[in-house]
């Protein structure tokens, strides 16, 4: 096993078998863990996976409160508890589009990572820092975290920086796939599927968790969200419209096949 591929967890295969058919068929999977009526939700997922737009649409379309009680939405699960009335929505995205998006907007990456061209960016160790306190929920200013390494983007056991963005993706996805094992009511949803059929997703969500529509109901999001990234490096090379074959092969060599397959992204 290399660090790029995540370690197996005891219940991983069972969770993967449960979610894979739905992710392949519709692009989302819904798991109601208890008989309790859910009344709060939080969206978790890596940058560039639609966490903002999914949160906005669910909050404005259905009668359920949004919260950030579980901590930073782009990190590893770190909650102290999961009440039976809490719903976790886990946003994912196909790896090629995700990597492309992260290169265009490398949120919290240090200057040296932002300065890299696309091919080098894919292969570079991921180093991130606390650039703006307003980007992080539940972070205490008294800790003086500004400009310090972003620990939520490091390996949660070893503390090491990830050797590349795909290693980080692998382990974060494995951790998020542990939510059902934690007893969480949760939803896995691909951004690609959500964008293609948001009303169908909302209908399944409302039916599964007995959620009533808001008075406003569904309305398309008029503006792009999560797009206000200001690069530190002003002359960054643009993201390529077409990937080089070598970059595609590198990406595939670094991805965790079992996780990608379970989430509907065969590699």
């Amino acid at each position: 096993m290399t660090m790029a591929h995540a370690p197996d967890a005891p219940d991983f295969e069972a969770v993967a078998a449960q979610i894979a058919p739905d992710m392949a068929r519709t692009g989302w999977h819904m798991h109601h863990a208890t008989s309790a009526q859910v009344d709060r939700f939080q969206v978790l997922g890596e940058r560039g996976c639609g966490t903002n737009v999914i949160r906005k649409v669910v909050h404005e379309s259905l009668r359920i409160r949004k919260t950030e009680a579980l901590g930073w939405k782009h990190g590893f699960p770190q909650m102290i508890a999961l009440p039976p009335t809490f719903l976790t929505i886990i946003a994912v995205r196909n790896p090629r589009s995700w990597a492309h998006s992260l290169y265009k907007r490398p949120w919290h990456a240090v200057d040296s990572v932002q300065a890299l061209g696309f091919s080098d960016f894919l292969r570079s160790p991921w180093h991130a820092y606390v650039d703006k306190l307003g980007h992080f929920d539940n972070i205490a200013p008294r800790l003086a975290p500004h400009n310090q390494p972003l620990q939520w983007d490091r390996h949660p056991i070893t503390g090491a920086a990830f050797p590349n963005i795909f290693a980080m993706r692998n382990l974060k996805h494995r951790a998020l796939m542990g939510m059902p094992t934690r007893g969480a009511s949760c939803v896995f949803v691909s951004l690609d599927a959500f964008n293609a059929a948001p009303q169908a997703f909302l209908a399944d969500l409302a039916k599964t968790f007995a959620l009533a529509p808001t008075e406003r109901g569904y309305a398309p999001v008029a503006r792009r969200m999560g797009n206000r990234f200001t690069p530190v490096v002003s002359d960054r090379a643009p993201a390529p419209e077409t990937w080089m074959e070598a970059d595609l092969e590198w990406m595939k060599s670094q991805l965790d096949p079992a996780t990608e397959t379970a989430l509907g992204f065969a590699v």
Side-chain angles (χ1 to χ4, degrees), residues 48-69:
C49 289
T51 54
N52 288 328
V53 68
I54 292 171
R55 178 180 61 183
K56 180 179 177 64
V57 169
V58 170
H59 172 66
E60 293 184 351
S61 303
L62 299 174
R63 295 188 184 277
I64 183 171
R65 290 178 292 164
K66 63 180 179 180
T67 178
E68 303 299 324

Side-chain angles (χ1 to χ4, degrees), residues 17-37:
Q18 290 175 358
I19 71 174
D22 286 344
M23 296 302 289
R25 181 175 58 86
T26 63
W28 55 77
H29 169 79
M30 305 193 180
H31 172 71
H32 201 167
T34 74
S35 60
Q37 175 62 51

Side-chain angles (χ1 to χ4, degrees), residues 41-261:
F41 81 100
Q42 182 169 345
V43 181
L44 303 178
E46 248 300 346
R47 286 147 287 201
C49 289
T51 54
N52 288 328
V53 68
I54 292 171
R55 178 180 61 183
K56 180 179 177 64
V57 169
V58 170
H59 172 66
E60 293 184 351
S61 303
L62 299 174
R63 295 188 184 277
I64 183 171
R65 290 178 292 164
K66 63 180 179 180
T67 178
E68 303 299 324
L70 301 187
W72 191 47
K73 62 186 176 183
H74 300 315
F76 291 88
Q78 54 191 314
M79 70 294 297
I80 192 170
L82 283 164
T85 58
F86 201 101
L87 174 64
T88 306
I89 299 178
I90 298 162
V92 296
R93 190 178 189 180
N94 76 79
R96 183 169 174 175
S97 297
W98 170 76
H100 194 266
S101 175
L102 188 59
Y103 176 75
K104 291 175 65 177
R105 288 173 289 278
W107 292 96
H108 320 305
V110 300
D111 297 12
S112 59
V113 173
Q114 290 194 33
L116 297 171
F118 185 70
S119 294
D120 291 333
F121 177 85
L122 298 181
R123 295 162 173 78
S124 168
W126 178 256
H127 293 285
Y129 71 111
V130 181
D131 47 359
K132 295 180 180 179
L133 294 186
H135 289 161
F136 306 96
D137 298 297
N138 304 326
I139 190 169
R142 66 180 179 275
L143 295 177
H146 191 242
N147 290 328
Q148 297 302 309
L150 179 55
Q151 297 297 327
W152 290 333
D153 264 359
R154 289 187 169 231
H155 194 293
I157 304 299
T158 68
F162 286 103
N164 57 68
I165 61 172
F166 302 111
M168 180 170 66
R169 172 188 173 96
N170 291 340
L171 201 57
K172 284 189 178 181
H173 278 175
R174 285 273 182 143
L176 291 169
M177 287 177 65
M179 293 300 285
T181 305
R182 295 174 184 269
S185 289
C186 54
V187 172
F188 293 85
V189 56
S190 162
L191 176 61
D192 312 270
F194 174 84
N195 283 338
Q199 290 174 282
F201 170 75
L202 289 171
D204 280 357
L205 187 65
K207 180 179 179 181
T208 302
F209 297 100
L211 298 173
T214 60
E215 183 176 347
R216 173 184 180 272
Y218 169 75
V221 176
R223 63 180 179 84
R224 184 183 181 93
M225 304 190 69
N227 200 38
R228 296 179 179 178
F229 173 75
T230 302
V232 175
V233 180
S234 59
D235 57 346
R236 297 186 70 229
E241 294 186 8
T242 303
W243 283 43
M244 293 192 301
E245 189 62 30
D247 290 340
L248 283 173
E249 291 304 315
W250 162 258
M251 179 188 74
K252 292 176 182 178
S253 75
Q254 298 301 300
L255 290 170
D256 180 1
T259 303
E260 296 298 328
T261 299

